[in-house]
Amino acid sequence: MAPSSSPRPVAGAVVAGVLAVAAALCLPGATAQLCEEYYHRTCPNAYDIVKQVLMNAHRSDPRIFASLIRLHFHDCFVQGCDGSLLLDSVPGMPSEKTSPPNNGSARGFPVVDDVKAALEKACPGVVSCADILALAAEISVELSGGPRWGVLLGRLDGKTSDFNGSLNLPAPRDNLTVLQGKFRALNLNDVDLVALSGGHTFGRVQCQFVTDRLYNFSGTNRPDPTLDPAYRAFLSQRCPRNGNASALNDLDPTTPDTFDKNYYTNIEVNRGFLNSDQELKSSPQAQGTTAPIVDRFASSQDAFFQSFAQSMINMGNLKPLTDPSKGEVRINCRKVNGS
């Protein structure tokens, strides 16, 4: 159908009405769906403020971009994207930060504090900590060479931390069936699983998460047979038996600080660092499910970038808290207001 050069008055009125409703739903304080324009009036420079703080942090910490996207992931997978991961422990409410999946590995909290301080100076009491994590994740990917996407905003911060819920986060030693179950429980599909796992295309990981694959896979006292022998020899030098379990290694040995498709090309040749990574390609259950997606992303960075951006939006929509009677905009991301 050819486009009309001038819309009919009725159509124009309908469009105007839709836009007016959308604008109303995006107003701060309204219970609504998320939208990109949420802070356009109340904090128009929010994106640029977050970006500047992250760029400053990266000068002294090249790992920070990968760390910040992981914070967003671990926040959203536990009771939704509500900033609960950022809360410190208080009597009767242990922090998600202290649970085994996060303790000693989740990092970047001081940078989130710096972002919050800068936003509070510019727009007091406006931008939520949950939205800071969403913005920081997108900016971190973009600054590392990855895709951009329109970040949906308008989340409020929750008032509770769910320590027990964080125990069920996707884990480095999970097999494919377990990973698929954890994603499906949140209405995320196999494309989301494979695309979001691509966040491992940059960042570092501790030796403790690969030593079983090197020396005692599944209790066999033998290496993981899916691990490329040359890569296994390299990792054995980096992570010797009974060595420093906290020693850091590149998740992607080819381009460790660049957001690209090399995570998938590594998996294609059995050079996935974590068991959960290699399972996406090598598990018998992967054939016909996740393996073809790995193949597609390994052959096309555009396909990966497009799916990753959409999957980040999908993840960011996990149970967003928008009801002012249940959430708030924290002044300090580490504690509930008034505490």
Side-chain angles (χ1 to χ4, degrees), residues 212 215-225:
D212 57 336
Y215 307 112
N216 188 25
F217 183 66
S218 298
T220 62
N221 286 318
R222 298 182 62 82
D224 181 350

Side-chain angles (χ1 to χ4, degrees), residues 32-110:
Q33 292 184 332
L34 309 180
C35 59
E36 293 181 47
E37 300 81 11
Y38 190 79
Y39 296 115
H40 276 197
R41 293 183 180 180
T42 56
C43 196
N45 295 322
Y47 185 93
D48 291 335
I49 291 170
V50 178
K51 188 172 184 178
Q52 187 59 57
V53 175
L54 265 58
M55 290 171 64
N56 292 341
H58 186 258
R59 293 189 182 101
S60 59
D61 183 2
R63 299 172 57 198
I64 192 60
F65 293 156
S67 298
L68 289 171
I69 192 173
R70 185 167 182 256
L71 291 186
H72 184 44
F73 185 100
H74 280 214
D75 180 49
C76 290
F77 264 65
V78 181
Q79 67 183 23
C81 308
D82 63 351
S84 59
L85 174 62
L86 303 175
L87 288 170
D88 288 340
S89 294
V90 295
M93 189 181 73
S95 171
E96 294 168 26
K97 296 177 185 177
T98 64
S99 71
N102 293 318
N103 190 30
S105 60
R107 60 189 301 275
F109 299 108

